[in-house]
Amino acid sequence: DAGITQSPRHKVTETGTPVTLRCHQTENHRYMYWYRQDPGHGLRLIHYSYGVKDTDKGEVSDGYSVSRSKTEDFLLTLESATSSQTSVYFCAISEVHVNSPLHFGNGTRLTVT
Amino acid sequence: DQQVKQNSPSLSVQEGRISILNCDYTNSMFDYFLWYKKYPAEGPTFLISISSIKDKNEDGRFTVFLNKSAKHLSLHIVPSQPGDSAVYFCAASSSSSGNTPLVFGKGTRLSVIA
């Protein structure tokens, strides 16, 4: 698992409530990513971080915000959860940004009812 | 517009035979390609990669072939084993496009039948 812990592993929440997912790494890697996996869509990038307090949007960033106050933690927040955000969320890390594999956590399954 | 395409959602192969998974890409700036394997309830795990300066990379039973002119890569698994049954994702990136992270295909589910 390359020292990546995602919490919680499962969460059920109601539409309109805020939700925060946490990714914690012990590898001291600079780059961290949030992807979501949905049937028929594969893995799509939500946001990523290239350093403490440095973040950028990915392909499907609407409705999500992120924060990285420490190298080891990358938080994904759904300010007001919607049913379309029901998905499996994966955090990934890498030492360098290009031409290097990402290493993924085991995911958080989020259900918005 | 999908930049990385895996046109076969699923593939079934007999144990011991060759599995060939295909991937096409549209962005000519991509110069690094990877394959990931994913089991249910786990995160994707890195399998093998190839740089655009090569046309083949081999690691044990896994070989990735790159055809730059056709913008096509393939993953060969020989011989296939039941434990290879998983979803395989193709991914690509460009070292010249600044901060663009990996772009993934939709995945192909491989079933290896004993």
Side-chain angles (χ1 to χ4, degrees), chain A residues 35 37 40 48 97 99 102 105, chain B residues 32 36 38 43-44 99 101-102 106:
Chain A
Y35 283 85
Q37 185 197 5
Y48 65 99
H97 192 51
N99 293 5
L102 305 185
Chain B
Y32 182 67
Y36 280 81
K38 187 186 177 306
N99 284 332
L102 287 183
K106 294 183 179 181

Side-chain angles (χ1 to χ4, degrees), chain B residues 87-104:
Chain B
V87 177
Y88 289 79
F89 291 99
C90 172
S93 69
S94 166
S95 59
S96 60
S97 61
N99 284 332
T100 306
L102 287 183
V103 178
F104 286 82

Side-chain angles (χ1 to χ4, degrees), chain A residues 11 24 31:
Chain A
K11 185 168 183 69
H24 178 79
Y31 299 92

Side-chain angles (χ1 to χ4, degrees), chain B residues 32-67:
Chain B
Y32 182 67
F33 305 89
L34 309 88
W35 285 94
Y36 280 81
K37 177 168 73 173
K38 187 186 177 306
Y39 293 121
E42 293 184 11
T45 54
F46 169 68
L47 200 54
I48 192 169
S49 64
I50 187 167
S51 164
S52 61
I53 61 173
K54 293 184 165 184
D55 54 18
K56 176 183 174 181
N57 190 26
E58 193 171 351
D59 183 0
R61 295 186 297 113
F62 302 90
T63 302
V64 56
F65 295 92
L66 176 62
N67 182 334

